[in-house]
Each structure stands twice: as C-alpha cells, then as structure tokens.
Amino acid sequence: MPLPPGQVVGLAADVLLARLRPAPLPGPRASGRAAGAVLLVAGCAINLRSLTERRERESGAFELEHPRRLVVTGPYAVSRNPMYAGWWLMHLGIGLLQGSVWSLFTTPAAALAEHRGVLAEERELSDLFGADFAAYAERVPRYFSLRRLPRKTRP
C-alpha cells in the first residue's frame, strides 16, 4: 500500500517533535490510546477495503497508479479519495497512541501538503474517463462530507 509523501513527512515530524519537545495530550492516557487504536484500525480497514475494491474492478495486471477503470463502488461511493482519508486516520491514530498533541497539527498539515497531488490525480482521471468522472465528481465528495442528511419536516 503506497504511503503518500505528505504522510511520511508528517509522521516523521510528529515523532521528532514528540521526542524533542514532548507535548502530552490532556486527559487520561488510556482514553487517548483507545481513540488512537480505533482511528488506526479504521484507517487500515478503509485503505485495505479501498485497495481490494480497486483490484477487484481492474482487469489484467493491477497498477494502483495507472487505473484502467473508474471505480465508483465500495469506499469510492463515499469518497473519491478514500485511501488518503484512511492515511489521515492512521496518522492521527498513531499520534494519539503515542500520546502526543503534535499529531493534531501534523495530520492536517500533511493533508494540506497532499491536496495539490490529489488535484493533479483528479485531473488525470478526468482526462482518462471524461464525462463519467465528471458525473462521479458531482455526486461523490473529494474526501468526505460533513453534510447532514435532510431532516424530516413535521406537518
């Protein structure tokens, strides 16, 4: 599974900052570890499921960086870039497991650093898949959505 460069730098910065200038998370250590473990497992599960979905939908030799088919099922029905979101969860989870407040800063910084690459990847997908990608991009958020479902109105 490919590790995005932003995550490599972000995780390294997190570990280095935690060693040079420790900044423990407030609250009980057990709570941080539990939350970190949940986020790490969730991120791993999202990435493994995303990778499996891509492999199942490809024909011939599988190359993650060179898609032959636009995958819009599984995790890709919820996010156009579920593996990036999975890496962010893992990054934050690792930081919480080590009890460092630095991960609260390095995770979003790494995500922002990766955003330009994501835009370039999406331009390539648009070139490859044209109108199909445009329709997909209209209905599925780039990373995830915090939109609430419409409320039922009372008569």
Side-chain angles (χ1 to χ4, degrees):
M1 192 173 331
L3 180 60
Q7 295 307 310
V8 172
V9 172
L11 286 165
D14 191 24
V15 170
L16 184 65
L17 288 166
R19 296 219 191 284
L20 295 176
R21 193 166 277 268
L25 288 167
R29 181 90 164 107
S31 298
R33 284 189 173 159
V38 168
L39 291 173
L40 182 59
V41 169
C44 287
I46 289 168
N47 278 4
L48 289 173
R49 182 66 189 109
S50 299
L51 197 56
T52 300
E53 191 71 19
R54 283 283 308 278
R55 283 181 192 252
E56 289 175 355
R57 302 289 177 244
E58 289 284 338
S59 57
F62 174 73
E63 294 180 62
L64 186 63
E65 301 297 322
H66 303 288
R68 291 181 184 85
R69 181 178 224 176
L70 181 62
V71 178
V72 299
T73 55
Y76 295 93
V78 179
S79 169
R80 295 194 312 259
N81 298 281
M83 292 182 75
Y84 284 103
W87 278 114
W88 301 338
L89 292 175
M90 288 189 283
H91 182 154
L92 186 57
I94 290 167
L96 295 178
L97 277 170
Q98 74 177 17
S100 172
V101 76
W102 291 113
S103 62
L104 300 176
F105 299 98
T106 60
T107 301
L112 284 172
E114 292 165 350
H115 184 68
R116 276 181 65 177
V118 168
L119 296 177
E121 286 178 15
E122 289 193 348
R123 281 191 299 275
E124 290 175 21
L125 292 172
S126 181
D127 291 344
L128 278 171
F129 302 111
D132 289 338
F133 182 79
Y136 172 59
E138 272 294 313
R139 65 175 193 275
V140 176
R142 179 171 285 129
Y143 300 116
F144 51 84
S145 176
L146 298 177
R147 278 186 297 182
R148 299 179 108 188
L149 296 173
R151 287 185 177 192
K152 292 182 181 177
T153 57
R154 294 184 184 196

Short mmCIF file of all heavy atoms in Angstrom, two decimals, residues 23 50 144:
data_model
loop_
_atom_site.label_atom_id
_atom_site.label_comp_id
_atom_site.label_asym_id
_atom_site.label_seq_id
_atom_site.Cartn_x
_atom_site.Cartn_y
_atom_site.Cartn_z
N ALA A 23 4.82 17.04 24.16
CA ALA A 23 3.58 17.78 24.47
C ALA A 23 2.48 16.73 24.62
O ALA A 23 1.81 16.39 23.64
CB ALA A 23 3.27 18.77 23.36
N SER A 50 -10.38 -0.24 0.23
CA SER A 50 -10.24 0.56 -0.99
C SER A 50 -9.32 -0.14 -1.99
O SER A 50 -9.63 -0.21 -3.19
CB SER A 50 -9.69 1.95 -0.66
OG SER A 50 -10.54 2.63 0.20
N PHE A 144 -14.53 13.51 2.02
CA PHE A 144 -15.69 13.08 2.79
C PHE A 144 -16.58 14.30 2.95
O PHE A 144 -16.17 15.41 2.67
CB PHE A 144 -15.30 12.50 4.15
CG PHE A 144 -14.38 13.38 4.94
CD1 PHE A 144 -14.87 14.41 5.72
CD2 PHE A 144 -13.00 13.20 4.88
CE1 PHE A 144 -14.02 15.24 6.43
CE2 PHE A 144 -12.14 14.03 5.59
CZ PHE A 144 -12.65 15.05 6.36
#
